[in-house]
Amino acid sequence: MGCLGSVPGAPEAPEIELDMEAVGEAITDAIKGIPDNIDKNMREFPDEVKNCQEEKWAVPDTTMELAKDYTQEQLQEAAIVAACGTAVKDAIKDAIWGQFEPKIDEQLDAVEELNNAMGREPK
C-alpha cells in the first residue's frame, strides 16, 4: 500500500493486469530469429572484414571490432553479440511495453474523467 492509500479518502492506485502469456509469446518470437542471424553473420562477417579499408571492422549494432587477423572464436563472439543486438532488445521491449501502455492509458483516462467530473483540472 502506498502513502496515499493509507490516507482516509485518498484513492489507491489500481493494479495493472498484464497478459504475461502474450509477453512470453512476443519474447519467444523475438528470439526465434537469433540462430539464423548468427549463421548469417558467420557467413557475411569474414567478407566484411576482408573488404574493410581500415585495420579493424566495426561489428554492426555492437561496440566490438574485428581485426583482419581475427580468430574463429572472435568471429563467433561477434556473430552472436550482433545477432542479439538492438533489434532483438527493441522487439522484447516493445512486447513488454505494448502490454503496459494501454493499461496505463486506461488509468490516466479514468483519472482525467474523475477530475472532469469533480470540476478540477488534471495535473
Side-chain angles (χ1 to χ4, degrees):
M1 178 181 290
C3 293
L4 285 180
S6 60
V7 176
E12 289 187 32
E15 290 187 30
I16 297 176
E17 295 179 23
L18 300 177
D19 183 353
M20 292 309 292
E21 187 174 322
V23 171
E25 288 173 11
I27 291 171
T28 299
D29 289 345
I31 61 175
K32 277 183 183 175
I34 291 175
D36 291 336
N37 290 339
I38 293 171
D39 290 342
K40 178 181 172 225
N41 293 345
M42 289 294 292
R43 287 189 311 273
E44 293 179 0
F45 284 7
D47 287 336
E48 295 289 345
V49 173
K50 185 173 72 174
N51 295 330
C52 177
Q53 302 299 319
E54 308 294 324
E55 282 299 309
K56 292 185 177 182
W57 177 68
V59 179
D61 210 16
T62 73
T63 58
M64 301 177 70
E65 293 182 331
L66 282 177
K68 300 268 185 194
D69 61 346
Y70 64 84
T71 64
Q72 187 65 20
E73 184 177 293
Q74 290 168 329
L75 174 62
Q76 289 170 336
E77 181 182 1
I80 292 167
V81 171
C84 298
T86 303
V88 173
K89 291 177 197 169
D90 286 347
I92 292 170
K93 181 174 61 176
D94 290 346
I96 294 169
W97 186 245
Q99 287 294 314
F100 275 100
E101 190 170 32
K103 304 292 184 181
I104 292 169
D105 288 344
E106 283 176 23
Q107 291 181 16
L108 290 174
D109 290 345
V111 169
E112 188 173 333
E113 288 174 18
L114 179 62
N115 282 331
N116 290 339
M118 295 175 70
R120 296 189 301 194
E121 288 292 317
K123 293 185 178 183

